[in-house]
Amino acid sequence: MDASPSGVKVLYIAGCWRSGSTLIGRVLGQASGLISVCELATIWQLGVARNELCSCGHGVRDCGFWRDVFQRAFGGIDAADVSAALHDPQPPYGTRDALATTFGWDEAWADRGDAPAQHRRQRQRRTLGKLYHAIAAVSGRRCIVDGSKIPSYGVGLSTLAGVDLYVLHLVRDSRAVTNSWARKRDRNRDEGVADSRRVRLLDVAREGIAWTRWNLMIESLLRPRASYLRMRYEDFAARPQEAVDRVGRFIGEDMSGIRLRGGNVVHLADEHAADGNRMRFTRGDLAIRLDDRWQQELGPSLRRVVTATTWPLLARYGYLQTGPSAVATPAVSPASP
């Protein structure tokens, strides 16, 4: 199955950490016209520089698929312009830079009138463009599913020549995200309950602010630049087949090859995911179930803090409703002309 001659489709999963992007990316990657590479933004640091594991079980440098990709794009892994990706200034992560970017006082990946900076941006665009086109050519797939999540990296993808960018804005309840973060931070707790004895309220407030900031950046930076679909993790987990079909309509791809037995069991074949959480190594049948442990584990004080710091977007995304009507309305917008 050949990649589209008119350009490479990239389905970019943008969202907060711990929102299920690896799971959703892998499920979508089972369609015949799609390939999931999980988090491609870090392939340079983790795969090329440190030879960390591809999901096939080999180091990225030793993986036949990635060797072919880098050979086609650059004449080999060691011939790639890695410095363009490794040493270019990082996207804005600090509060001041993120707010400036979000509200239009600055622009991620902008050429700022500085000739060296412009040259670095051009090198980075050329390098990334070659990489994505080579992935499509080597895999023979029409659409690359990239779950890198970072808003400003997605902006960079929107500037690449010959790349048709589709943004899947994946949102998850801020209280679930915070509980997952707290669970990882406090692995030795006795009761399985995250509370202020072990996690400071100030840290939770910061986590909530970061969740709000990240989602605002996705909406303000990426929605005007690409075709855009918003989806809740909870809706995907509750009705995965419906979610898969909706994504297929969004990107114009046939998803009939993904059929979930019993409504929630998907078969995951081997892939070549360069980075992402350990779920990328899972093979075989997987039952998709909603992870809503936060409702039992997140202590009352932490729940109040994260709700208070995130309530405007919780309401916008339908999380403050109750009962069967608590389903977010899908948000879709076409690419800007």
Side-chain angles (χ1 to χ4, degrees):
M1 192 169 294
D2 296 331
S4 171
S6 61
V8 176
K9 284 184 183 178
V10 175
L11 176 62
Y12 187 69
I13 304 177
C16 281
W17 46 97
R18 303 186 175 278
S19 292
S21 62
T22 302
L23 170 62
I24 292 177
R26 290 216 58 198
V27 172
L28 295 174
Q30 306 310 305
S32 60
L34 283 71
I35 179 172
S36 174
V37 293
C38 284
E39 299 178 17
L40 200 58
T42 55
I43 192 174
W44 307 98
Q45 297 91 334
L46 303 181
V48 176
R50 290 161 46 179
N51 198 32
E52 294 202 359
L53 288 180
C54 171
S55 62
C56 69
H58 297 93
V60 168
R61 284 177 164 269
D62 306 312
C63 168
F65 173 79
W66 289 112
R67 283 204 308 266
D68 290 347
V69 166
F70 278 87
Q71 181 66 38
R72 185 180 184 96
F74 310 108
I77 288 183
D78 293 321
D81 189 4
V82 177
S83 63
L86 282 178
H87 301 143
D88 202 59
Q90 292 295 309
Y93 289 110
T95 300
R96 185 187 64 181
D97 288 338
L99 287 173
T101 301
T102 300
F103 293 107
W105 304 330
D106 198 353
E107 185 171 330
W109 285 55
D111 295 330
R112 308 178 191 284
D114 177 352
Q118 291 180 23
H119 180 63
R120 284 195 301 270
R121 299 298 186 194
Q122 291 168 1
R123 286 176 58 205
Q124 193 163 37
R125 291 184 183 112
R126 285 197 300 269
T127 300
L128 290 179
K130 290 179 180 179
L131 178 65
Y132 282 86
H133 280 84
I135 291 171
V138 171
S139 68
R141 306 297 178 87
R142 291 183 297 270
C143 181
I144 299 168
V145 183
D146 183 348
S148 295
K149 296 189 290 293
I150 304 168
S152 51
Y153 184 80
V155 172
L157 295 184
S158 74
T159 69
L160 301 184
V163 168
D164 301 323
L165 184 64
Y166 295 78
V167 173
L168 177 61
H169 181 187
L170 181 63
V171 299
R172 187 182 183 189
D173 193 311
S174 59
R175 294 159 294 191
V177 170
T178 299
N179 187 63
S180 180
W181 164 80
R183 190 188 304 124
K184 180 180 180 181
R185 176 171 170 154
D186 184 22
R187 293 186 184 279
N188 297 320
R189 62 185 183 275
D190 298 326
E191 301 296 329
V193 176
D195 62 30
S196 56
R197 291 174 296 174
R198 299 178 175 88
V199 180
R200 294 189 307 166
L201 295 179
L202 180 59
D203 291 335
V204 172
R206 288 172 175 165
E207 187 78 2
I209 293 170
W211 180 91
T212 298
R213 183 183 71 204
W214 205 257
N215 283 295
L216 283 175
M217 289 177 71
I218 292 168
E219 292 207 34
S220 62
L221 288 175
L222 291 178
R223 189 167 188 169
R225 290 174 168 82
S227 298
Y228 172 97
L229 170 68
R230 188 172 68 238
M231 177 183 291
R232 302 196 315 179
Y233 155 79
E234 293 81 2
D235 295 335
F236 168 82
R239 297 178 296 278
Q241 188 69 66
E242 179 182 317
V244 165
D245 293 340
R246 177 148 48 101
V247 172
R249 292 191 296 272
F250 170 58
I251 62 176
E253 291 290 336
D254 179 10
M255 311 298 275
S256 60
I258 305 177
R259 281 294 165 261
L260 289 89
R261 298 198 315 277
N264 74 325
V265 177
V266 64
H267 184 81
L268 299 177
D270 291 346
E271 292 177 323
H272 294 283
D275 190 27
N277 69 38
R278 294 197 61 81
M279 190 262 161
R280 74 185 191 274
F281 296 107
T282 301
R283 297 179 178 87
D285 290 346
L286 175 71
I288 299 171
R289 295 187 177 91
L290 175 66
D291 179 1
D292 59 355
R293 286 176 287 178
W294 70 270
Q295 297 189 32
Q296 291 76 42
E297 294 182 358
L298 194 64
S301 59
L302 299 188
R303 188 180 302 197
R304 284 193 293 268
V305 169
V306 71
T307 301
T309 54
T310 61
W311 72 265
L313 286 188
L314 282 178
R316 174 175 171 79
Y317 299 150
Y319 287 115
L320 297 184
Q321 301 176 35
T322 58
S325 62
V327 177
T329 301
V332 183
S333 64
S336 301

